Amino acid sequence: MEIEIRALKIEDYDGLKETMQKAYPAMSESIWSKKSIQKLIKIFPEGQICITVDEKIAAVCLSLIVQYELFGDDHTYREITGNYTFDTHSETGNVLYGIEIFVDPKYRELRLARRLYDARKDLCEKLNLKSIIVGGRIPNYHLHSHELSPRQYISQVRKKEIYDPVLSFQLANNFLPLKILKHYLPEDSHSEENAVLLQWNNIYYSKKPNTMQDSVIRLGLVQWQMRHFKDIDAFYEQVEFFVNAMADYKSDFIMFPEFFNTPLLAPFNHLTERESMLKLAELTEQIRKKLSEFAIGYNINIIAGSMPIEENGELYNASYLLHRNGKMDEYRKVHITPNEKKLYGMKGGNEIKVINTDCGKVGLVICYDVEFPELPRILAEQGMKILFVPFLTDTQNAYTRVRHCAAARAIENECYVAIAGCVGNLPGVNNMDIQYGQAAVFTPSDFSFPSNAIKGEATPNTETTLIVDVDLNLLKEIHHYGAVRTLSDRRTDLYDVVSFRDIE
């Protein structure tokens, strides 16, 4: 007999399915699909582990990394898995969450589950995660539920007066029961929908710098004054001034407005609008690298407003999230305004995605994008908690469109929405002559938030900064206990919002 423990591969799916069916004969409808396993392997390959016996799949465990403060100790299996999409997985999370483990009954005497648990513990230590948490089934509870409450049942299992194949095993592996989870897994009739929240602590864990240890995130928004710069170094000097100031206030994020670098268009004013924007696009990579250095050096995540980029002869309006750990994410404006098409011939981007940060999942859209409710809704369904919207508006009515739509997105998606734009005027640069803006942070509208659903706002049309603290735990509270619950009360039996790229 040859036993091997290794990373799960998509080629193992048929063996996984067969083993899971044998392990859970009463839960045949809950077998993971091949598409689900493929996604798990893609987003977190180290966390998906299998054991083979003579090259046949005999046992499997599946895991995610989550930012546990976003869920707390009162969650369901559906919530922790993001409605089985695994969008709750976060590369910057602090807890290894076990979502599945099963063993072919034929091999249970080999104690394969213990090997899988040991592998999980090794992974937890290797990744410097705080703990392993699982929602453990209690499959023998239905045999005792007529005379014992779940709490009494757990107590007797701990005293070894009752044997439970799952809970007894977890206790033997040094997992500590935290609480009983009601309605954790509705299809688990043997446990009567109960589960035990269990935790194994990594004693070697060292608190990671810049990892969210609580739910409060500090946002810094720049209301950027349009001004001429003698050269690009003068532009960098002004950018660095704001980055330094926000870093001194321990902000987690700083956001600049859309097209905040357009003062650098001045030397190209003799060209057509498109030609001058193509010239500006030649500076974008240099600026992006410089801002990434600021993000690392000042220990702050920078949302670099937006800048033009050229690719294969096409112009795009792109924003960058420059992480303080050196990572970079790009977003291209999806919805292009009539003027952007007419003057610059800009094209819309084709990717919709949430961004994993050391403060949880965030979304990033640019100006006109926020006026289309479908886009933030898709991001919200992927776990987005904060939506950043850099904008550029010339008139007050244009700004009003952005502002009111941003406020609506916060309410309907149970998230925070931060907006920041340019102010002042810029003579000598075509189509950038006047600006109207007011930075603000909008909240859902419920008792836990300000009565006007505005967490903070700057003085309009003045160069300044806005620093606001937002509490992500309040979003979880409103989702479960709000006066209205706009996400969970949707009639998805009648309508839904989907990304066609996800369907493909």
Side-chain angles (χ1 to χ4, degrees):
M1 180 181 293
E2 182 178 346
I3 299 175
E4 179 186 9
I5 182 166
R6 60 170 172 80
L8 186 70
K9 299 179 291 188
I10 193 59
E11 293 80 10
D12 298 317
Y13 179 74
D14 290 340
L16 175 150
K17 181 179 179 181
E18 181 181 349
T19 301
M20 194 172 183
Q21 288 171 333
K22 292 178 182 177
Y24 300 138
M27 299 172 64
S28 57
E29 295 181 359
S30 301
I31 304 301
W32 290 109
S33 69
K34 187 172 185 178
K35 183 178 179 180
S36 294
I37 298 301
Q38 191 168 28
K39 184 171 183 178
L40 275 172
I41 293 172
K42 179 181 179 182
I43 63 175
F44 185 29
E46 310 100 302
Q48 322 317 321
I49 304 168
C50 71
I51 295 178
T52 61
V53 177
D54 295 331
E55 299 184 352
K56 295 186 66 175
I57 297 294
V60 173
C61 72
L62 310 175
S63 307
L64 297 172
I65 299 175
V66 298
Q67 191 65 53
Y68 193 70
E69 289 82 0
L70 300 180
F71 303 95
D73 291 342
D74 188 16
H75 59 264
T76 66
Y77 191 77
R78 180 182 292 270
E79 289 169 344
I80 205 73
T81 60
N83 196 22
Y84 311 109
T85 65
F86 316 123
D87 289 332
T88 51
H89 176 73
S90 172
E91 294 175 3
T92 56
N94 56 5
V95 164
L96 184 67
Y97 198 100
I99 61 171
E100 188 70 81
I101 186 167
F102 53 86
V103 179
D104 187 329
K106 177 181 176 181
Y107 300 111
R108 282 180 180 161
E109 292 185 358
L110 298 178
R111 299 185 178 181
L112 301 183
R114 184 178 296 276
R115 297 192 188 204
L116 292 176
Y117 266 60
D118 288 343
R120 268 186 183 165
K121 291 174 183 177
D122 289 343
L123 181 62
C124 184
E125 293 174 359
K126 174 185 173 184
L127 298 179
N128 188 32
L129 299 173
K130 189 175 182 179
S131 60
I132 302 173
I133 290 181
V134 298
R137 299 173 60 238
I138 41 176
N140 279 1
Y141 177 62
H142 69 286
L143 301 175
H144 304 270
S145 59
H146 62 286
E147 58 182 359
L148 297 175
S149 68
R151 184 179 299 276
Q152 291 170 328
Y153 178 79
I154 294 168
S155 177
Q156 292 199 25
V157 173
R158 294 185 73 177
K159 295 175 183 176
K160 299 185 178 179
E161 295 172 358
I162 293 176
Y163 174 77
D164 185 277
V166 175
L167 183 56
S168 296
F169 169 78
Q170 289 164 331
L171 293 173
N173 276 271
N174 299 316
F175 275 74
L176 177 68
L178 300 179
K179 66 173 296 183
I180 297 163
L181 297 173
K182 300 285 189 181
H183 313 297
Y184 182 73
L185 195 62
E187 58 266 36
D188 185 7
S189 57
H190 283 184
S191 302
E192 299 191 2
E193 299 186 16
N194 296 293
V196 183
L197 189 68
L198 298 119
Q199 181 175 4
W200 176 86
N201 290 316
N202 174 13
I203 63 173
Y204 303 107
Y205 173 73
S206 60
K207 182 177 177 180
K208 301 177 185 178
N210 309 322
T211 295
M212 184 182 65
Q213 298 302 317
D214 55 34
S215 61
V216 177
I217 308 302
R218 179 160 293 177
L219 311 180
L221 312 180
V222 178
Q223 200 157 281
W224 176 264
Q225 173 76 45
M226 287 294 205
R227 56 165 63 80
H228 287 283
F229 296 103
K230 63 179 181 179
D231 53 32
I232 197 168
D233 288 332
F235 168 76
Y236 289 147
E237 183 179 7
Q238 187 64 42
V239 171
E240 187 174 12
F241 166 81
F242 284 113
V243 172
N244 185 18
M246 294 298 192
D248 282 346
Y249 284 109
K250 306 299 182 185
S251 294
D252 294 293
F253 293 92
I254 178 174
M255 178 167 69
F256 291 92
E258 179 183 24
F259 284 146
F260 73 114
N261 68 331
T262 48
L264 300 176
L265 279 170
F268 315 121
N269 210 42
H270 62 287
L271 303 175
T272 66
E273 285 88 349
R274 178 175 172 83
E275 289 171 341
S276 63
M277 196 59 76
L278 284 168
K279 283 291 186 181
L280 186 62
E282 293 176 5
L283 301 175
T284 294
E285 180 63 12
Q286 175 187 342
I287 296 172
R288 183 193 66 78
K289 288 182 178 178
K290 188 68 172 180
L291 267 62
S292 181
E293 292 174 8
F294 289 160
I296 297 168
Y298 286 97
N299 192 26
I300 188 170
N301 298 304
I302 298 177
I303 297 162
S306 83
M307 297 179 280
I309 60 171
E310 183 272 329
E311 183 177 274
N312 300 322
E314 302 288 359
L315 264 176
Y316 297 90
N317 185 350
S319 183
Y320 299 95
L321 202 165
L322 306 167
H323 301 249
R324 49 190 164 192
N325 64 2
K327 180 183 170 187
M328 184 273 289
D329 282 286
E330 178 186 282
Y331 168 76
R332 297 184 182 185
K333 188 174 183 178
V334 171
H335 301 95
I336 304 301
T337 65
N339 265 348
E340 285 176 302
K341 293 176 184 177
K342 176 183 176 182
L343 299 174
Y344 310 120
M346 284 191 162
K347 300 290 185 181
N350 293 311
E351 187 173 14
I352 305 170
K353 67 172 185 177
V354 295
I355 300 173
N356 286 314
T357 74
D358 55 15
C359 297
K361 293 178 182 289
V362 305
L364 175 57
V365 300
I366 301 173
C367 197
Y368 193 34
D369 283 332
V370 82
E371 299 178 30
F372 297 82
E374 301 88 349
L375 180 51
R377 171 51 52 84
I378 291 170
L379 294 173
E381 291 184 338
Q382 294 177 7
M384 176 262 296
K385 304 300 180 187
I386 305 171
L387 179 64
F388 292 100
V389 188
F391 70 87
L392 176 73
T393 49
D394 54 354
T395 63
Q396 187 169 359
N397 61 318
Y399 167 74
T400 298
R401 288 195 299 268
V402 172
R403 179 187 177 92
H404 289 325
C405 289
R409 302 299 86 86
I411 292 171
E412 66 200 16
N413 294 306
E414 298 175 355
C415 67
Y416 296 103
V417 180
I419 66 173
C422 296
V423 299
N425 58 76
L426 194 61
V429 176
N430 291 332
N431 303 305
M432 295 291 169
D433 44 357
I434 59 173
Q435 317 294 328
Y436 186 98
Q438 182 181 22
V441 176
F442 303 107
T443 74
S445 184
D446 214 316
F447 298 115
S448 300
F449 304 95
S451 57
N452 62 357
I454 302 172
K455 183 65 175 175
E457 55 187 344
T459 303
N461 278 356
T462 302
E463 183 167 60
T464 186
T465 60
L466 178 65
I467 300 174
V468 170
D469 286 347
V470 296
D471 189 342
L472 302 188
N473 270 341
L474 296 180
L475 302 179
K476 182 175 183 291
E477 182 177 320
I478 190 178
H479 180 71
H480 292 285
Y481 308 112
V484 295
R485 301 158 202 176
T486 52
L487 283 180
S488 58
D489 287 344
R490 287 173 298 140
R491 286 289 304 277
T492 52
D493 58 320
L494 292 178
Y495 61 86
D496 207 348
V497 178
V498 298
S499 166
F500 291 125
R501 288 184 172 269
D502 289 341
I503 294 174
E504 293 170 2

